[in-house]
Amino acid sequence: MRRVFITLIAFAIAASVFAEKVTLLSFNMGARNRTATEVATMIFASGADIAFIQEIWVKSPQNTALKTMTAQLQRDSGSDWDFVTTSAYCLTEPQTVGEENYKTGGNGQNNAILYNKQKLRLTDLADDIGFTHFDGDYLFDKNTVQLVRVSLAAAPDHTAVGINVHLPYTDKAHRARDLRTLERLYSRYKLRIGVIIAGDFNYHRKDLTTRNFDAVDGTERWYSDRNVGIPTTLSSKATDAVVFANDYDHFIYSPGITVTTEMHRAFSDTKEKVIPSIPFGTTTYTNSIDYHKAVSDHVPIMLVLEM
């Protein structure tokens, strides 16, 4: 009996110290006409376990681009990939709820989360808070914000809440309303479970650090401009180099999240403001204009956490 008791204690200790590193990638595609295979190749090359994608053009129920991407990721990695998307409830027509008006994003404003099923499990929580019928407590312009539960495949009790964000760049009042809604959603979960938010906020980091969030990543001196943190969106100026304009893409996380590698831009370890090249799929871009036209005005950002 004593031996069994000791074994149970040992098992409990082992379970409590079990942890895996999870690599997150976040990327706003800009809803442009890019090939899904190119995007999948980029995700694979980054080493990400899970990718938060904003402004991807997909239509429910086909979700053709996402199916192409997960199939390509499976070919590249040998692992089974899946996705969840906002395409079933993204607003394709304007809506009015009470006195509030919500704009349509069309099929090009969808969000999606792609993930390696051999490492992670995802549960879409959209229906829990009324996203799917747009009548719940938490309403966003275009209804593209995603809420999911993320757990380790090898340890299902190791969980966190993931929120994939695109706060549309519209008028100041609606942006402020959406940000307040995100704060409420964050507060709802942060005391019970770790929360990680990734995406395009259309806000500078310095504006977010004054809000009701615990940690807005962008503080590591990998490349940090004292005015705008880590720039993540590209200038549209015609230059011969890659020039960053602002830092609208971020990670936000609650005290329940253990971050092992702070936010950085994917595919470069240079500390210079001007990055000489950006690989994307099988193509390398050496200036802002070409990348901006062919890929997006955003570059992928990454974060590594422990679950």
Side-chain angles (χ1 to χ4, degrees), residues 17 83 157 183 240:
V17 299
F83 64 85
D157 59 325
E183 287 176 319
D240 293 329

Side-chain angles (χ1 to χ4, degrees), residues 1 7 20 36 43 58 88 203 235 245 296:
M1 182 68 180
T7 301
E20 280 193 61
I43 294 171
V58 286
Y203 275 88
S235 170
S296 176

Side-chain angles (χ1 to χ4, degrees), residues 17-300:
V17 299
F18 178 87
E20 280 193 61
K21 288 185 177 180
V22 176
T23 301
L24 287 77
L25 179 142
S26 178
F27 177 53
N28 184 310
M29 289 182 61
R32 301 190 183 193
N33 188 26
R34 280 171 288 283
T35 66
T37 52
E38 230 184 352
V39 178
T41 301
M42 177 268 290
I43 294 171
F44 172 70
S46 75
D49 302 304
I50 182 169
F52 290 62
I53 308 294
Q54 304 91 43
E55 286 197 273
I56 180 172
W57 201 103
V58 286
K59 186 176 181 180
S60 178
Q62 297 90 344
N63 294 318
T64 304
L66 291 168
K67 290 177 181 177
T68 300
M69 291 167 69
T70 51
Q72 183 64 43
L73 280 162
Q74 184 164 344
R75 285 191 291 270
D76 288 340
S77 66
S79 298
D80 190 14
W81 282 70
D82 205 350
F83 64 85
V84 294
T85 177
T86 62
S87 65
Y89 56 88
C90 178
L91 294 184
T92 55
E93 298 292 338
Q95 297 278 352
T96 299
V97 179
E99 297 180 354
E100 294 284 359
N101 298 314
Y102 297 88
K103 296 183 179 182
T104 174
N107 295 315
Q109 288 287 339
N110 281 292
N111 283 11
I113 301 176
L114 294 82
Y115 62 100
N116 183 341
K117 288 179 66 176
Q118 291 180 229
K119 188 165 186 176
L120 300 171
R121 297 284 187 268
L122 259 67
T123 303
D124 193 341
L125 301 179
D127 197 49
D128 292 357
I129 53 175
F131 277 10
T132 51
H133 302 290
F134 207 65
D135 57 4
D137 293 331
Y138 300 99
L139 308 177
F140 294 89
D141 243 18
K142 304 179 183 179
N143 213 32
T144 57
V145 172
Q146 281 182 285
L147 180 72
V148 298
R149 179 182 294 108
V150 183
S151 59
L152 292 178
D157 59 325
H158 289 228
T159 63
V161 164
I163 305 177
N164 186 16
V165 166
H166 177 226
L167 300 185
Y169 192 89
T170 56
D171 62 277
K172 187 174 181 180
H174 282 85
R175 289 173 65 202
R177 180 197 65 192
D178 283 354
L179 189 57
R180 288 194 301 271
T181 303
L182 184 65
E183 287 176 319
R184 291 173 58 208
L185 190 57
Y186 174 80
S187 297
R188 174 172 177 167
Y189 290 97
K190 76 166 191 172
L191 297 180
R192 294 186 286 132
I193 190 171
V195 180
I196 179 79
I197 311 177
D200 174 17
F201 291 78
N202 283 304
Y203 275 88
H204 288 301
R205 179 183 176 275
K206 60 183 175 62
D207 297 320
L208 294 174
T209 54
T210 63
R211 311 294 300 219
N212 295 314
F213 301 115
D214 294 286
V216 181
D217 209 352
T219 57
E220 188 189 11
R221 296 297 179 260
W222 175 82
Y223 168 68
S224 181
D225 183 286
R226 64 182 179 181
N227 296 313
V228 297
I230 296 180
T232 59
T233 59
L234 294 174
S235 170
S236 59
K237 296 178 182 178
T239 66
D240 293 329
V242 176
V243 178
F244 289 90
N246 50 50
D247 70 337
Y248 285 157
D249 303 86
H250 309 282
F251 291 102
I252 292 175
Y253 50 90
S254 70
I257 298 292
T258 300
V259 171
T260 62
T261 303
E262 291 182 296
M263 172 176 154
H264 61 283
R265 292 187 295 252
F267 311 122
S268 179
D269 57 2
T270 179
K271 297 180 184 299
E272 299 298 323
K273 182 173 183 179
V274 179
I275 292 180
S277 62
I278 297 180
F280 185 88
T282 56
T283 306
T284 298
Y285 297 90
T286 57
N287 62 70
S288 295
I289 291 297
D290 288 347
Y291 185 95
H292 200 285
K293 289 179 179 177
V295 184
S296 176
D297 59 335
H298 297 251
V299 291

